[in-house]
Amino acid sequence: MKTNLKRRVAGVAAVAVVLLSAACSDPGSGSAASSSGEWPAQDADLSGTTLTIWAAQNSNKLPDSVISGFEDLTGADVEVVTIPDPYEQGVQTKVATGDMPDLAFWQPTASQLTALNARTNLLPLDDAPFLDDYDPALRDITGILDDTRYAALISTPAVEGVYYNKEVFEKAGITDLPTDWDSFVELGRELKKQGETPFFEMGADRWATQWWVQVQLAEAANDGLWDRVNAGEESFTDPTIQGAIDTYSDLIDEGLFNSDIKTATFEDQGKALLDGDAAMVVQVNSFFSQLQQLADTDELDQKIGFFPISAEGNVGTFIPDQSNAMVAFATGDEAQESAAKQLLSYWLGDGYGDFVEANSTVSLEPGVPTPDGVPQALLDVSASLGDSAGSMQALAIANPDLYINLADMIQGTKPPVQVAEATQEQFAQLAKAQGAEGF
Amino acid sequence: MTTILERPTATEADPGHTPRRRPASRSDHPLWFLVPALALLGVFFIAPTVFNFVYAFTDWSSFKTEISFVGLENFRDLLGNGSLISDLRITVIYAALVAVFQNLFGLLLALLLERDTRVNRFARVAFFVPVIMSALAVGYVFQALLKPDGGLNAMLSFVLPGEVSVAWLGSTTWTVVVVALVHAWKWMGLSMLIYLAGLKTISEDVLEAARLDGASSWQVFRQIKFPLLAPAVTFNVATALLGSMNGFDIVQATTEGGPGGSTELLNIFIFRTFGQGLFAQATTMSLTLFLVVAVLAFPVIYLLRRRERVL
């Protein structure tokens, strides 16, 4: 009886040890990515191959034209799987448990590529045939981590800048656009004197709050701000970033924003600018997509303009998002990996003209013309890209919840000093988890 | 694995004799019959709980391939971070509010719908519908209703003079109460059902005797029904309190923890941390929540059971 029991206890313990040790190797980070290998021809036969693409709710329709073209050309079967929002968290969790597609929409920034453990999970795209087709100014703007390219840009990255209502400006007799931060704020005060609401912010939906801080940091970013933050040499609580947060807070206190700033949503923001209830909004491209649902191109061209703004001039701040780029996964199956690469080279090769036409978006390739009917504001956005600076998301190694802390500031639960402290604390935690030096 | 379920018998204390033949009824339940159930229990309940403990002491994240032990570091970081304490406070307040509202509404409904009439049967079903609805759906419906330009304000504007545009989910003080009310609304049907079952067990003789003695309906409730409902109160309060400590879905759908973090339950914080790829830290937090719920559960259930003893 006794020895029997003992043996059983030993057996259970052994099973437990096996389970524990098995569980202690992260299933989402298996063997190292296979080396890049050959890029197949765009029209190589792929009958019988099924490729899976993960997309978010707002990007799952983007590849439609590419997919039908590719399926006709190669005989492959391409499936788009929509991962529910919050997309990034969903994908990260799935990948961490060992589930991978062949391709996915992904934010091509250093922080988000790190979050996906790109070195082990993604295919390097360094020798992709389409790289030479890109506009040279945009070719290396993002998608690269530690000198290796992991993401292929498919559309122009978003730029943080000011969208304004031309009619409100006209009515107030404003003819010259601001040329730096001071003239931008002065313009706001002037508009307020005339009884307009100068700025509109969406405190309830939170995520746009960070643009106000980031645009002020464009020159500093070009000056290596985020490199210093990444190395732990500068922090969010140091004067540069803290100063930008304080400025934002002061402008809110001064009453230059909409009175319903605490409860206003993304939808409210779009409506307010279009209706002329507010004069200016600091936003990114997805805001303009929102406007495109409310008005046609003619109306938008007539009413809405865009200019980049920064502390000392008109430098834009670029922030690629998930709908701008694709990553290919190192699934370990060579045929699948090769087919995924083939789809990418078709997408940015023979299929690219159809892609920009179908989505009426600005082309990244000088060889492929931007379709007519792209609104002027979007053309201005993409024109500002060439000399724009990287955002926190593009250049910092981690992406802390700055926007939540700023939204807390708007609600009055965190003073500006605490916003910087909380953000820095989370940044340090993430940097430490990545094994970054200096944390 | 051929051990037989058995009670210790005199035979084992008396090794000199050969064991007597056991009655057949004792040997028809071999212990290995339990194996399938135990295996399921092990894989789906015991292993995750054990891993919850194990991973809390590692640096598991989405950024690295290896997982190594880091001792108590996660706990130190977490305690140094003000968010944990403030989120725990919000979680406990939320749970207490839900427990109060859910039981109040459940009890009132049970008393109101106690008699078995046709209308009451229909009303019971109607009030039970939210219980089987998806919590996220409930959250989104209420989020739409409670918006400044949502349904509730539209109704109020119709009834009251002037335009009503209250941001029901916009106050950093009161939103937690509003969200707790939504949570209680969703689950009050379950409490109602359990109180109804409790009311049915009260003997009609006792109630009739009370009425003959001239007791008012309030006295009947206060002196007889409520004390006799004690077991139902225990179950309802404990499940409401401890269940809402683990609350996530309704709050995520209505406020995402806002405004200004004033409804950020610990589970929302855990979700956010997990989403950042800090899996070990998230596990540490969920272990902390587990321990807090456990620490809270024992005294609460003990106190409520002691109330039952006066019966």
Side-chain angles (χ1 to χ4, degrees):
Chain A
M1 244 349 259
K2 237 180 192 168
T3 50
N4 200 354
L5 180 74
K6 231 183 214 170
R7 214 178 297 152
R8 253 185 296 146
V9 169
V12 169
V15 170
V17 167
V18 169
L19 269 174
L20 283 176
S21 53
C24 274
S25 68
D26 191 330
S29 25
S31 61
S34 47
S35 59
S36 37
E38 291 295 299
W39 284 78
Q42 293 180 35
D43 57 357
D45 182 55
L46 287 175
S47 306
T49 307
T50 302
L51 285 171
T52 311
I53 299 177
W54 282 357
Q57 267 147 0
N58 69 351
S59 55
N60 59 7
K61 294 275 177 289
L62 294 180
D64 284 354
S65 71
V66 175
I67 289 172
S68 61
F70 189 70
E71 285 178 339
D72 289 347
L73 189 66
T74 64
D77 201 11
V78 183
E79 278 174 17
V80 175
V81 177
T82 305
I83 308 290
D85 285 333
Y87 178 70
E88 279 78 7
Q89 297 184 5
V91 170
Q92 244 176 299
T93 315
K94 277 176 176 290
V95 171
T97 51
D99 191 5
M100 278 183 199
D102 297 299
L103 294 153
F105 281 90
W106 196 250
Q107 188 177 327
T109 58
S111 60
Q112 285 301 94
L113 289 171
T114 311
L116 214 49
N117 201 358
R119 284 177 208 88
T120 38
N121 290 334
L122 299 182
L123 292 178
L125 308 174
D126 286 316
D127 46 3
F130 47 79
L131 295 184
D132 292 334
D133 298 336
Y134 280 137
D135 179 346
L138 304 177
R139 180 189 148 135
D140 297 328
I141 194 170
T142 186
I144 297 169
L145 179 69
D146 296 337
D147 299 324
T148 307
R149 186 185 303 268
Y150 290 108
L153 214 51
I154 55 165
S155 54
T156 48
V159 177
E160 299 162 16
V162 184
Y163 289 89
Y164 66 98
N165 186 308
K166 292 178 182 172
E167 289 171 349
V168 175
F169 273 31
E170 218 168 280
K171 204 176 84 189
I174 291 151
T175 47
D176 297 329
L177 295 178
T179 52
D180 60 8
W181 189 261
D182 289 338
S183 53
F184 171 59
V185 173
E186 213 38 63
L187 170 62
R189 291 188 180 126
E190 174 63 32
L191 285 166
K192 187 175 159 71
K193 248 183 250 163
Q194 301 193 22
E196 305 286 349
T197 300
F199 307 127
F200 195 101
E201 187 59 280
M202 41 175 256
D205 277 347
R206 307 191 293 192
W207 51 266
T209 55
Q210 56 182 325
W211 312 144
W212 273 88
V213 171
Q214 294 209 28
V215 295
Q216 296 180 61
L217 300 172
E219 279 92 0
N222 276 338
D223 210 26
L225 168 73
W226 298 111
D227 292 335
R228 294 193 296 279
V229 172
N230 289 342
E233 291 159 9
E234 188 166 343
S235 110
F236 283 80
T237 54
D238 284 329
T240 310
I241 306 177
Q242 180 75 64
I245 296 171
D246 292 345
T247 305
Y248 181 35
S249 172
D250 291 345
L251 294 177
I252 297 171
D253 292 344
E254 203 181 318
L256 296 179
F257 283 84
N258 46 317
S259 55
D260 61 347
I261 183 167
K262 290 185 184 180
T263 54
T265 62
F266 182 52
E267 283 78 23
D268 298 338
Q269 196 180 33
K271 257 185 69 183
L273 190 72
L274 204 59
D275 296 348
D277 294 336
M280 289 179 273
V281 155
V282 176
Q283 260 290 11
V284 292
N285 296 33
S286 56
F287 173 73
F288 198 78
S289 313
Q290 166 80 5
L291 295 184
Q292 281 177 304
Q293 313 209 337
L294 299 172
D296 59 20
T297 300
D298 287 342
E299 187 182 349
L300 290 175
D301 278 346
Q302 188 198 330
K303 276 188 179 171
I304 307 292
F306 173 87
F307 62 88
I309 197 75
S310 57
E312 285 147 39
N314 292 102
V315 180
T317 300
F318 76 85
I319 172 163
D321 70 25
Q322 126 308 107
S323 67
N324 294 132
M326 299 297 296
V327 293
F329 282 83
T331 52
D333 180 334
E334 253 174 63
Q336 289 293 112
E337 291 178 1
S338 161
K341 284 180 172 180
Q342 187 179 333
L343 175 54
L344 280 184
S345 41
Y346 172 77
W347 195 321
L348 288 148
D350 295 344
Y352 197 60
D354 282 346
F355 173 71
V356 291
E357 188 71 46
N359 292 299
S360 106
T361 182
V362 181
S363 165
L364 289 168
E365 300 180 358
V368 175
T370 297
D372 299 330
V374 175
Q376 186 57 39
L378 272 191
L379 294 173
D380 292 345
V381 168
S382 111
S384 73
L385 252 180
D387 59 351
S388 61
S391 59
M392 173 177 82
Q393 282 81 353
L395 299 179
I397 49 171
N399 180 13
D401 293 328
L402 173 63
Y403 72 101
I404 295 183
N405 295 322
L406 287 169
D408 287 356
M409 179 181 86
I410 291 175
Q411 299 293 347
T413 55
K414 271 199 185 86
V417 175
Q418 264 184 35
V419 171
E421 280 171 4
T423 311
Q424 176 64 29
E425 204 171 284
Q426 197 189 15
F427 181 84
Q429 201 181 27
L430 287 163
K432 195 171 122 190
Q434 291 170 18
E437 275 175 55
F439 293 92
Chain B
M1 291 310 246
T2 50
T3 323
I4 310 296
L5 263 182
E6 59 188 352
R7 287 212 191 104
T9 52
T11 10
E12 268 152 24
D14 191 2
H17 293 263
T18 44
R20 261 170 279 155
R21 274 190 62 184
R22 293 182 201 98
S25 65
R26 291 264 172 90
S27 58
D28 62 2
H29 303 105
L31 190 56
W32 59 267
F33 274 24
L34 283 175
V35 167
L38 279 179
L40 286 178
L41 197 71
V43 169
F44 292 110
F45 292 95
I46 299 173
T49 312
V50 170
F51 287 136
N52 197 359
F53 277 81
V54 174
Y55 282 132
F57 299 93
T58 66
D59 63 353
W60 179 33
S61 74
S62 71
F63 310 114
K64 276 190 297 209
T65 313
E66 330 77 51
I67 299 178
S68 45
F69 281 91
V70 294
L72 289 170
E73 204 174 288
N74 292 331
F75 289 90
R76 265 199 303 274
D77 286 353
L78 206 58
L79 287 178
N81 185 336
S83 308
L84 177 76
I85 304 298
S86 84
D87 286 352
L88 258 184
R89 202 176 54 95
I90 293 167
T91 309
V92 172
I93 292 174
Y94 178 74
L97 287 171
V98 170
V100 170
F101 292 144
Q102 188 182 319
N103 282 284
L104 197 67
F105 300 159
L107 187 58
L108 286 176
L109 285 176
L111 292 169
L112 207 67
L113 308 176
E114 193 184 346
R115 283 177 47 221
D116 279 324
T117 64
R118 187 168 294 194
V119 176
N120 281 2
R121 285 210 192 93
F122 175 78
R124 284 178 206 161
V125 173
F127 284 110
F128 196 74
V129 167
V131 177
I132 52 174
M133 273 167 77
S134 141
L136 281 175
V138 169
Y140 287 121
V141 166
F142 271 94
Q143 194 231 23
L145 273 178
L146 298 173
K147 276 197 296 198
D149 56 354
L152 182 62
N153 281 340
M155 279 188 265
L156 289 177
S157 302
F158 186 72
V159 179
L160 302 172
E163 185 80 6
V164 181
S165 61
V166 183
W168 296 98
L169 298 171
S171 159
T172 51
T173 317
W174 297 108
T175 302
V176 66
V177 181
V178 177
V179 182
L181 279 169
V182 174
H183 191 128
W185 175 86
K186 184 189 176 333
W187 291 106
M188 67 185 179
L190 187 68
S191 298
M192 171 193 76
L193 208 65
I194 290 159
Y195 282 126
L196 273 175
L199 288 171
K200 294 273 176 232
T201 63
I202 298 174
S203 157
E204 194 52 42
D205 302 346
V206 183
L207 298 174
E208 202 181 335
R211 255 177 251 123
L212 286 177
D213 287 343
S216 68
S217 47
W218 167 249
Q219 281 171 320
V220 170
F221 171 72
R222 185 67 201 85
Q223 305 295 333
I224 299 174
K225 286 184 179 172
F226 190 67
L228 286 174
L229 278 177
V233 172
T234 304
F235 180 84
N236 274 339
V237 170
T239 50
L241 190 70
L242 304 177
S244 52
M245 289 285 290
N246 281 315
F248 171 76
D249 31 27
I250 290 178
V251 183
Q252 178 70 15
T254 45
T255 66
E256 290 180 77
S262 63
T263 58
E264 190 173 84
L265 302 183
L266 197 58
N267 264 341
I268 291 184
F269 190 38
I270 292 172
F271 174 71
R272 211 146 58 78
T273 309
F274 197 86
Q276 286 274 8
L278 296 170
F279 303 149
Q281 280 84 346
T283 311
T284 312
M285 289 178 207
S286 88
L287 178 60
T288 315
L289 181 63
F290 172 83
L291 293 176
V292 170
V293 172
V295 164
L296 209 73
F298 287 110
V300 166
I301 293 175
Y302 173 77
L303 283 174
L304 289 168
R305 290 307 287 262
R306 217 174 51 174
R307 268 188 69 239
E308 291 175 29
R309 241 182 276 157
V310 296
L311 292 181

